[in-house]
Structure formats: C-alpha cells, structure tokens
Amino acid sequence: EAAETSRAAQRRAAVANERSLGARDQLGVVSDREEAWARRQSSAAPVLRLANLANAGSDSITKIPLATFVVRHRFEQILDRANERLADISLGRYQLARSDAKERGSREVKTGLAVTVIDRDGEGEGGRSLSGGETFYVSLALALALADVVRAENGGIALETLLIDEGFGSLDEDTLGLVMSTLTGLARDGRAVGLVSHVAEMKKMIAERVAVRPLGDGSSRVEVRC
C-alpha cells in the first residue's frame, strides 16, 4: 500500500512538474510581451497626451477640442468683418462678440462658438432683444462677412454671387436704405447680388429686375426690366 501510494504521488509530481515547466515557458512569453508593451507605452505617451489635449480630455485646461479652437479663431475673424458691415447698417448701435457660453438649440453642445449682440443704446445683450428687422440685417452682416473671409483666403474659392430671399419687409425705410447701400457697394465691387422680395419700395431702388406677375388663369408672367 505504501509503494502504491508512493507511485501515485510520483505520478502527481510528474504532472505538476510538467505543468510548472509549461507555466514557466508561458511566463517568459508574457514577460516578453509586457516589456514590449511597456516600451510602446513609453514611446506613445507623448502622442496619447497630445490626443488627449486635442480632444479636450482630462489634461485639457480649456476643455475646448482642437477643431473647435481653430474654428473659434476663424469665427472671430468673421465677427470682426461682420462688425464693420454692421456698424454701417445699424449706425454703430449693434456689435457682435464671441461668447464662451455653450451653444443652445443644437444636439452637440460646443463652447466658444456662441454670439452675443451688444446694444450700445441699451443695456441688453443677446439676440433675443433684436426685432425681426434687426435680426435680418445682423444675419446679413454675418453672411457677408463669411463671404469676405472665404474670399480673402484666396484658396481658389470666390463667392461672386449672393442671393437674398425675403426679409426686407421687416426693415423700416431708413434701415432699408442702409442695407441697400451696402448691397449696392457689393455690386460695384464686381459681385452679382440677387434679391427676392415683395417690398414695393425696393422697385425704386433697383433698376435691373425681374418681375413675376400673376395672371387671372392661375399662370404668371415674367417681365425683365433694366
């Protein structure tokens, strides 16, 4: 019985020894892989930190992604150009400024791309204080500024044609004259400006126009005047 117990113990010892050798081999493989991983982690650390900063991760102080930071810089250029237009149209009353507040009204919340409207004649800030006509020409100033910035980049893209659909009916007579003066200046600079409107007062200001007149049978007639 003792001899049989000894042989069983020897068999178990042989199996354990075989497993130990296998585990030792696997340990060597794992150790080699761990060293390789550590080397790669060390070399990748600067890249990972840069990616973390670019994506506004835990290392970022501003919490602003790199893409938003670049767009914000370009956005400030557009606002500067828009304020030049807006100063003429609003007679210096309104000014646009970039705000660090988070954007509202969109699913993706971004920081630093909101716009604040400064009213020099009052205490209010923000687009909510603007009337319909004021909102129209502030938006127009932004659109013209965007075209100016794109054109200034001289990257082969030139916005030579501008089409504005409606919005003029919300302007009073004096503001309409200022807006038309701005658009006429664009036309003198070589741009083609097309306006779509039902405002009768604009007929006196535009010599070259296309008039669409409805007929009694439901059709319409197009008249070109220049």
Side-chain angles (χ1 to χ4, degrees):
E1 291 177 357
E4 182 62 29
T5 301
S6 174
R7 288 192 293 271
Q10 290 176 358
R11 289 194 296 270
R12 290 194 297 271
V15 172
N17 184 61
E18 183 179 353
R19 291 178 178 177
S20 174
L21 294 176
R24 186 176 304 172
D25 293 338
Q26 291 298 320
L27 177 61
V29 173
V30 172
S31 297
D32 292 341
R33 292 180 178 179
E34 182 183 18
E35 292 177 1
W37 173 81
R39 290 192 299 269
R40 292 184 180 181
Q41 184 190 41
S42 177
S43 62
V47 178
L48 293 175
R49 184 173 186 275
L50 182 61
N52 186 278
L53 291 172
N55 293 320
S58 58
D59 293 339
S60 175
I61 298 176
T62 62
K63 302 303 179 182
I64 299 175
L66 178 61
T68 303
F69 180 83
V70 174
V71 172
R72 188 176 68 172
H73 175 68
R74 181 56 53 86
F75 190 40
E76 289 174 347
Q77 293 179 320
I78 295 174
L79 291 181
D80 290 341
R81 190 71 183 94
N83 282 327
E84 296 177 10
R85 304 275 190 189
L86 195 56
D88 294 333
I89 299 176
S90 68
L91 299 178
R93 177 175 179 176
Y94 292 115
Q95 180 181 357
L96 302 178
R98 185 188 60 78
S99 173
D100 288 327
K102 292 184 178 181
E103 262 188 338
R104 290 177 297 179
S106 62
R107 293 182 179 179
E108 186 176 1
V109 179
K110 295 183 178 180
T111 303
L113 296 181
V115 179
T116 297
V117 181
I118 301 174
D119 185 355
R120 298 186 182 278
D121 292 349
E123 298 179 356
E125 289 188 0
R128 297 180 182 177
S129 62
L130 298 177
S131 65
E134 292 165 342
T135 301
F136 170 73
Y137 65 67
V138 167
S139 301
L140 177 61
L142 280 170
L144 296 178
L146 177 60
D148 290 340
V149 171
V150 170
R151 193 178 192 184
E153 289 299 315
N154 196 22
I157 300 176
L159 302 180
E160 300 293 349
T161 303
L162 178 66
L163 296 176
I164 304 175
D165 188 3
E166 293 300 343
F168 298 95
S170 59
L171 303 176
D172 57 61
E173 183 176 351
D174 293 337
T175 305
L176 178 61
L178 293 172
V179 170
M180 290 302 298
S181 176
T182 299
L183 297 177
T184 302
L186 292 177
R188 284 197 296 267
D189 292 339
R191 294 188 187 180
V193 181
L195 309 178
V196 181
S197 180
H198 296 86
V199 179
E201 185 67 22
M202 294 180 64
K203 296 179 181 179
K204 304 175 184 177
M205 303 179 181
I206 304 175
E208 300 175 351
R209 63 183 187 271
V210 177
V212 181
R213 300 188 180 280
L215 301 178
D217 59 358
S219 62
S220 58
R221 179 181 179 183
V222 176
E223 300 176 355
V224 179
R225 298 186 179 183
C226 56

